[in-house]
Amino acid sequence: MPDRGGGPSGPRMRVGRPSRRVRTLLMTLGVLAALGMVFTMFAGFWTDWLWYRSVNYSSVFTTTLWTKIGLFFVFGLLMALAVGFNIWLAHRLRPPLSAMSMEQQNLDRYRMSIAPYKKWLLLGITALVGLIAGASASGQWRTWLMWVNGVAFGQKDPQFKLDVSFYAFDLPWYRFMLGFGFAAAILSVIAAALTHYLYGGLRVTSPGARATAAATGHLSVLIGIFVALKAVAYWLDRYGLAVKSSDFRATDNWTGLRYVDANAYLPAKTILFCIAVICALLFFATIWRRTWQLPVIGFGLMVLSAILIGGLYPAIVQKFQVQPNEQAKEAPYVEKNLEATRKAYGIDGTKVTDYSGTSKTEDKTTLRDDVGSTASIRIMDPNIVSPTFQQLQQIRNYYAFPNNLDVDRYAKDGKEQDTVIGLRELNLAGIPKKNWINNHFRYTHGFGVVAAQGTSADAQGRPNFTESDLPSEGDLGTYEQRIYYGEKTDTYSIVGGPQKEIDYSDDNGEKTTSYKGDSGVNLSNPVNRAAYAVAFGEPQILYSGAIGEGSRILYNRTPKERVEAVAPWLTIDGDAYPAVVNNRIQWIVDAYTTTNGYPYSSRTTLGDTTADSLTAANTNRAVVAQQNQVNYIRNSVKATVDAYTGEVKLYQWDTKDPVLKTWMKAFPDTVQPKGEISKDLMDHLRYPQDLFKVQRELLTRYHVRDATTFLSGSEVWQVPDDPTNRSGNAVPPYYLSMKMPDQQAQSFSLTTTFTPNGRDNLSAFMAVDAEAGTSDYGRIRILKLPTNTTVNGPKQVQSQFNSQEEIAESIRLLRGGDSEVEYGNLLTVPLDGGLLYVEPVYVRGGGLKYPLLRKVLVTYGGQTAFENTLDEALNKIFGQEGQAPEPPDEGDTTTPPPTSDNPTVQQALEDAQKAFDAGQEALKENDWEAYGRAQKDLEDALRRAEDAQAQDGRGGAGGGESKPSASPSPKPSGSPSPKPSS
């Protein structure tokens, strides 16, 4: 518009175009955003590299990284080339453009719109499919490394006579390659067909031929490649039958060929292979014939054959040949499955022995002395007494013990004894004031081992500690007590810099320390600090003054986490346990090599078979599974993690395992030879629980050796539910020093029981020698109970225990007030043809918040005792109530009964004084239940003194059963002591 103001017109403004300053700002922001994204990706990569280098396993990082990169680029490039070449070829084979139909006129617009961008569109499509294919292929790094480095098993499958390594290492890679080929063929067919359609090579509605000769030939070759790959798939499927899972009678995870597989599916796959090859040749011949008639007919015949030969024919064989005479037909294949499964799970050497289940000795008093030599009965349940350790040995709120303690062996006076052990780990939830400095700089580590005898308790039902207090002192001697790496240490700490750490507190105040180890990553480098600030999402790491020269960041601190990181090809056991080895605290971690490609071996799901009543309540005890379904497993590696330095060591345990040898070729110098295990470490290695649980689950069916019994299912067992709680989960296996009937001396063992399928009576008892370094290590023994008699199982024993009126009344009294009764591990011990059951009973209540051992249940030969101590219960069971117990053997840690069986007046008066002192001690601690028991003991002792006097010094009745009673009203703490006269 004209300027109506008469003045000079100003410059015309440019609408919609930002100024140079704005453009510069936007460009700067874009560059910064891009740099931020790049640095974020770099931070993750760089911190991983620094961590692996800090634990001296950088070769694991580089090998894994380069394998993934190689697979990504090779297979990504192959896929991009395959798809891109076929798009280019389809475009090159396009017919002269014409607009003779509405269809072609509509396509003209699309052709014209993409014409200027054809090259970029081609590059974009090929790059996209290449990235997707490469990312998928990089995830197959384990499959590639196992194929390249595979070691022969030296065992051949019974059907095809191929080494097991073909199925474990080769077949998975061939299947991946086949899947990649199918994907490339299908994408190429789709891309080529769309290109041909866009450029007129294929027509849908136009009159005349539907496809040009060039398009017909091109697509026929691609479909022929697809059919040829299908022929290869049919051929590989023949071998796949040896590792195929199916539902079959006694097990839902049956693996291997059955009669119908060998006599119907196997020939069907061979026939289909031949048909597919012929069909592929017909498609290739279309290049010259220029017609799809024969290939389409051939393809239809192949599909029809797959339905009839591959589906209908096997169903007919199963219906009319197998089902009428199943046992005879399937027996040879069942025997192959039995043999392969037992070998694959290491249960082929299991010794099954008939066991009567009833004692052979009529005079049970003679068996009393045999109990001590048969088993060191553990009455301290590591899964119950953790709160007791916590209450008595926590010392400070910022320490804690795991929910489930561990059982180990430690020597005292030259003899080993079962020991319950736990570490006083850091508990950040209990620190007085939470902030970033306290959480990550001041409170950084736990302190000390706490251990107690497994076979005894003190007079108040508390553990008999062999290592206790802060700093810890006791039988373990001198060792590095600081715990920077543990099961409860799940956050990072920054140590070694200017900020001092709280070491521990005593009567003289707070002690500080500074980390002297070389673990962790140095933060002196500003690049490292920036990388960790980004990786951990904590900007204070970048600028905090608490970080300086010498500062190191510790993370990935749980033992299982560290072992899994340095050996990602291992499956980690759910229970890492601590031991004092060579004056240092070492976490011992069991690790497994597994595969699901062992022919004829039935598969099992690790997550299910390793679950029990403990893992249900504690996820820390769950197996860390690299692959969940397996049909071969070996405890091939024993690993240690130093609690102070975090150093990880892997030791070759199974020197014959071909899977471990394969991974050792792939990752050389990561696993040390078995000979490097020190004698001190060997003394604490044990048979792993998760392997034992997998084996016991398999042995519920595979303890039988003949196919007829296996098929009938009459000998199927089950692992009983834990009778001591209401979780409904399987009873956990228990560590126990004991001897089986064919052993001459006790050995550290892992034990469990079996019941018949759907019933509660006992069918078998199983134990494995768990003491590493011995010739019998790993030997599985099963005592099989007769089927024509009934022996009580764990659930029945617990039910019998709860239903006895006298015991039920005692339990009711123990539950008086706000007290709770907790049942400990129900241990089973074979003794003289019978089975001895022992169960500790704990009480938590009154003014106490932790369980104390109050009673012990013992059952043997239909007799049940419920007494204050194990000795009293055993004496009652074996008819020795009035006899003085034999002097304990050296190393025997069984708690003596609080009242003597000696009937003399002097002994009775001494017992009365002890009972009175116990009552006074209970008053000081406001423990009214203990006070009530002490009063009862006092009355019993005085009555025995009177009886002894009445008998004129002659021996009177032995100490009878002491029944708990309701606590009487407490006497004032200043009450005078009773003065019984003799």
Side-chain angles (χ1 to χ4, degrees):
M1 296 180 64
D3 183 8
R4 297 181 182 276
S9 60
R12 185 173 296 176
M13 297 183 63
R14 296 178 180 178
V15 180
R17 180 177 176 85
S19 65
R20 179 176 297 177
R21 180 177 299 177
V22 173
R23 293 200 305 271
T24 302
L25 178 61
L26 291 175
M27 186 177 298
T28 303
L29 292 175
V31 171
L32 291 176
L35 289 176
M37 292 177 62
V38 171
F39 188 79
T40 299
M41 292 186 290
F42 167 78
F45 164 81
W46 184 243
T47 53
D48 285 346
W49 161 248
L50 291 174
W51 186 86
Y52 275 97
R53 192 175 65 175
S54 73
V55 293
N56 299 317
Y57 282 90
S58 56
S59 63
V60 174
F61 179 82
T62 54
T63 300
T64 304
L65 178 65
W66 286 117
T67 302
K68 290 180 178 179
I69 291 175
L71 291 173
F72 176 86
F73 279 105
V74 169
F75 286 94
L77 186 61
L78 286 175
M79 182 65 77
L81 288 175
V83 175
F85 172 76
N86 281 285
I87 293 175
W88 172 83
L89 184 60
H91 180 266
R92 186 178 180 84
L93 296 175
R94 69 189 183 278
L97 294 179
S98 61
M100 299 183 64
S101 67
M102 291 299 297
E103 180 182 19
Q104 290 301 312
Q105 290 178 14
N106 291 331
L107 290 173
D108 275 343
R109 290 178 295 176
Y110 295 104
R111 287 192 289 264
M112 294 176 62
S113 63
I114 66 173
Y117 311 104
K118 285 191 295 187
K119 291 183 179 179
W120 292 108
L121 188 61
L122 176 62
L123 289 175
I125 293 173
T126 55
L128 179 63
V129 296
L131 286 172
I132 295 173
S136 176
S138 66
Q140 297 294 323
W141 64 271
R142 290 186 178 90
T143 308
W144 163 260
L145 288 176
M146 293 181 78
W147 180 63
V148 171
N149 300 284
V151 174
F153 276 68
Q155 303 171 22
K156 298 183 182 297
D157 78 282
Q159 181 67 39
F160 302 102
K161 310 303 179 184
L162 296 174
D163 191 88
V164 173
S165 61
F166 171 80
Y167 301 94
F169 307 140
D170 299 343
L171 190 57
W173 178 252
Y174 297 153
R175 282 176 166 168
F176 163 71
M177 291 285 289
L178 186 63
F180 178 83
F182 275 126
I186 292 172
L187 288 175
S188 296
V189 167
I190 294 173
L194 289 175
T195 305
H196 280 298
Y197 175 70
L198 182 63
Y199 287 95
L202 292 177
R203 302 181 181 92
V204 177
T205 62
S206 300
R210 299 297 185 188
T212 63
T216 300
H218 184 196
L219 294 177
S220 294
V221 170
L222 291 178
I223 297 174
I225 292 173
F226 176 85
V227 176
L229 291 173
K230 187 61 180 175
V232 176
Y234 281 133
W235 189 256
L236 288 181
D237 285 346
R238 299 169 68 254
Y239 302 108
L241 293 173
V243 289
K244 183 196 72 171
S245 291
S246 60
D247 296 341
F248 180 57
R249 295 290 298 275
T251 173
D252 293 334
N253 292 306
W254 169 275
T255 302
L257 283 81
R258 293 156 52 191
Y259 180 89
V260 69
D261 297 315
N263 295 278
Y265 281 111
L266 187 57
K269 296 293 183 182
T270 305
I271 295 171
L272 289 172
F273 163 76
C274 297
I275 295 174
V277 169
I278 295 172
C279 186
L281 293 175
L282 290 175
F283 274 106
F284 293 146
T286 307
I287 298 176
W288 299 277
R289 292 181 58 86
R290 303 296 183 179
T291 176
W292 281 357
Q293 185 177 5
L294 284 179
V296 170
I297 293 173
F299 188 79
L301 288 175
M302 187 182 74
V303 173
L304 182 62
S305 300
I307 296 172
L308 296 178
I309 302 175
L312 185 60
Y313 174 62
I316 294 173
V317 171
Q318 178 69 24
K319 180 70 175 177
F320 295 102
Q321 291 190 34
V322 178
Q323 288 185 4
N325 193 16
E326 187 175 43
Q327 288 201 354
K329 296 291 187 182
E330 300 287 13
Y333 304 96
V334 170
E335 289 176 357
K336 295 175 184 178
N337 177 268
L338 287 171
E339 182 181 1
T341 302
R342 292 171 67 87
K343 283 183 178 179
Y345 289 95
I347 56 177
D348 50 326
T350 301
K351 181 180 180 181
V352 181
T353 306
D354 290 333
Y355 193 72
S356 64
T358 56
S359 177
K360 308 169 187 175
T361 304
E362 293 184 4
D363 184 8
K364 296 296 187 293
T365 58
T366 61
L367 298 178
R368 176 63 182 88
D369 295 335
D370 295 339
V371 175
S373 61
T374 300
S376 297
I377 298 174
R378 179 173 44 75
I379 57 176
M380 280 289 111
D381 186 347
N383 308 309
I384 295 289
V385 298
S386 178
T388 307
F389 273 52
Q390 186 83 2
Q391 185 69 24
L392 301 179
Q393 289 297 320
Q394 178 189 22
I395 312 298
R396 294 291 183 268
N397 287 338
Y398 47 82
Y399 294 131
F401 292 92
N403 295 332
N404 304 100
L405 304 177
D406 288 288
V407 178
D408 204 345
R409 300 92 65 212
Y410 286 89
K412 184 174 184 179
D413 300 328
K415 289 191 176 182
E416 285 191 347
Q417 62 181 11
D418 290 359
T419 302
V420 176
I421 185 172
L423 300 188
R424 193 183 286 112
E425 295 189 47
L426 178 67
N427 175 31
L428 287 178
I431 64 176
K433 184 179 180 180
K434 288 188 177 183
N435 54 53
W436 190 65
I437 294 295
N438 280 344
N439 292 352
H440 300 289
F441 292 82
R442 295 276 290 162
Y443 296 90
T444 60
H445 60 278
F447 206 98
V449 173
V450 176
Q453 295 177 9
T455 54
S456 70
D458 66 12
Q460 298 182 36
R462 300 179 300 190
N464 278 325
F465 291 108
T466 58
E467 186 80 9
S468 59
D469 299 330
L470 185 68
S472 296
E473 297 179 348
D475 297 345
L476 301 184
T478 303
Y479 58 94
E480 174 56 67
Q481 298 197 19
R482 296 172 182 87
I483 303 162
Y484 283 88
Y485 296 87
E487 289 183 303
K488 301 179 75 68
T489 315
D490 54 3
T491 188
Y492 70 90
S493 289
I494 299 176
V495 298
Q499 179 66 59
K500 290 293 184 180
E501 310 162 43
I502 293 178
D503 205 18
Y504 64 91
S505 301
D506 58 16
D507 294 339
N508 296 322
E510 213 171 61
K511 307 292 183 182
T512 60
T513 187
S514 186
Y515 185 67
K516 299 298 191 298
D518 57 359
S519 180
V521 178
N522 197 322
L523 292 181
S524 300
N525 187 328
V527 176
N528 291 355
R529 293 178 66 170
Y532 278 101
V534 171
F536 286 8
E538 183 49 73
Q540 292 187 79
I541 294 178
L542 184 61
Y543 55 79
S544 174
I547 301 175
E549 189 66 29
S551 291
R552 311 182 72 85
I553 185 168
L554 313 180
Y555 62 105
N556 289 350
R557 297 169 71 183
T558 66
K560 291 190 290 185
E561 192 176 30
R562 293 180 77 78
V563 174
E564 187 181 31
V566 303
W569 36 272
L570 289 174
T571 297
I572 311 302
D573 189 271
D575 184 26
Y577 59 98
V580 177
V581 178
N582 297 323
N583 302 322
R584 302 191 73 86
I585 300 173
Q586 298 282 351
W587 288 99
I588 301 175
V589 183
D590 285 288
Y592 310 108
T593 47
T594 61
T595 179
N596 61 1
Y598 195 101
Y600 275 96
S601 173
S602 290
R603 289 184 172 87
T604 187
T605 304
L606 292 180
D608 295 337
T609 54
T610 58
D612 57 31
S613 61
L614 297 182
T615 60
N618 185 2
T619 55
N620 287 334
R621 296 180 73 95
V623 64
V624 181
Q626 181 259 315
Q627 58 179 11
N628 206 24
Q629 266 220 339
V630 304
N631 67 354
Y632 171 93
I633 186 169
R634 289 290 186 273
N635 177 212
S636 53
V637 171
K638 301 283 189 181
T640 62
V641 177
D642 192 290
Y644 183 76
T645 65
E647 181 184 19
V648 181
K649 290 184 178 180
L650 307 175
Y651 296 98
Q652 182 183 17
W653 184 248
D654 190 330
T655 57
K656 298 180 180 179
D657 176 32
V659 181
L660 177 61
K661 291 178 180 178
T662 295
W663 286 117
M664 290 175 68
K665 282 181 62 179
F667 297 96
D669 302 324
T670 56
V671 181
Q672 300 183 30
K674 187 175 183 179
E676 295 295 318
I677 299 176
S678 67
K679 171 64 168 60
D680 200 4
L681 175 59
M682 185 70 75
D683 290 341
H684 295 282
L685 299 182
R686 68 189 191 188
Y687 201 81
Q689 291 188 65
D690 284 334
L691 176 60
F692 183 79
K693 287 188 279 190
V694 170
Q695 290 174 327
R696 74 172 179 178
E697 179 63 31
L698 268 296
L699 283 168
T700 59
R701 303 182 302 275
Y702 287 92
H703 63 278
V704 301
R705 293 180 179 271
D706 62 286
T708 303
T709 306
F710 184 86
L711 285 168
S712 69
S714 60
E715 287 290 328
V716 175
W717 299 338
Q718 66 182 12
V719 179
D721 293 339
D722 191 346
T724 63
N725 61 50
R726 299 179 180 178
S727 67
N729 296 98
V731 62
Y734 295 123
Y735 286 105
L736 181 68
S737 290
M738 55 163 291
K739 68 176 182 179
M740 294 288 276
D742 63 336
Q743 292 180 291
Q744 300 300 316
Q746 292 184 22
S747 66
F748 191 62
S749 304
L750 193 54
T751 66
T752 192
T753 54
F754 296 110
T755 58
N757 194 22
R759 297 171 59 193
D760 293 327
N761 57 289
L762 196 68
S763 58
F765 174 82
M766 172 180 168
V768 63
D769 195 314
E771 194 161 352
T774 62
S775 58
D776 278 352
Y777 173 82
R779 179 171 295 180
I780 300 174
R781 297 175 174 89
I782 293 179
L783 303 180
K784 183 176 178 293
L785 280 299
T787 56
N788 57 352
T789 60
T790 300
V791 178
N792 286 341
K795 187 175 181 180
Q796 291 172 321
V797 169
Q798 189 72 38
S799 178
Q800 183 184 51
F801 163 50
N802 293 334
S803 62
Q804 288 195 12
E805 184 177 346
E806 185 178 357
I807 296 176
E809 177 62 19
S810 298
I811 292 293
R812 188 187 67 79
L813 293 174
L814 288 175
R815 285 197 173 113
D818 60 350
S819 299
E820 297 179 3
V821 171
E822 297 184 28
Y823 300 110
N825 38 220
L826 182 57
L827 303 177
T828 309
V829 178
L831 177 66
D832 190 51
L835 291 161
L836 177 71
Y837 287 98
V838 178
E839 182 179 68
V841 178
Y842 299 82
V843 175
R844 184 203 301 248
L848 304 175
K849 300 302 180 185
Y850 56 93
L852 296 175
L853 179 66
R854 290 306 187 201
K855 291 287 184 179
V856 178
L857 161 74
V858 175
T859 299
Y860 183 78
Q863 300 295 317
T864 301
F866 186 59
E867 302 297 325
N868 292 332
T869 67
L870 177 60
D871 274 343
E872 286 181 346
L874 292 173
N875 288 341
K876 183 175 181 180
I877 287 292
F878 296 107
Q880 293 193 0
E881 291 181 85
Q883 301 181 22
E886 294 291 332
D889 295 332
E890 186 177 0
D892 185 3
T893 56
T894 304
T895 305
T899 57
S900 173
D901 290 329
N902 189 334
T904 64
V905 175
Q906 184 61 37
Q907 183 64 55
L909 293 178
E910 290 176 3
D911 291 341
Q913 186 62 48
K914 291 178 181 178
F916 176 79
D917 293 340
Q920 295 302 303
E921 185 67 24
L923 279 176
K924 293 178 182 179
E925 296 185 7
N926 293 325
D927 188 350
W928 307 121
E929 291 181 85
Y931 180 82
R933 284 190 293 274
Q935 292 295 104
K936 182 64 176 175
D937 291 341
L938 176 60
E939 294 172 6
D940 290 343
L942 293 176
R943 184 174 62 253
R944 285 189 289 107
E946 294 175 358
D947 292 342
Q949 283 182 323
Q951 295 179 23
D952 197 22
R954 295 173 59 193
E961 179 184 357
S962 175
K963 303 177 185 177
S965 59
S967 301
S969 300
K971 297 180 180 179
S973 59
S975 299
S977 302
K979 301 291 184 180
S981 58
S982 56

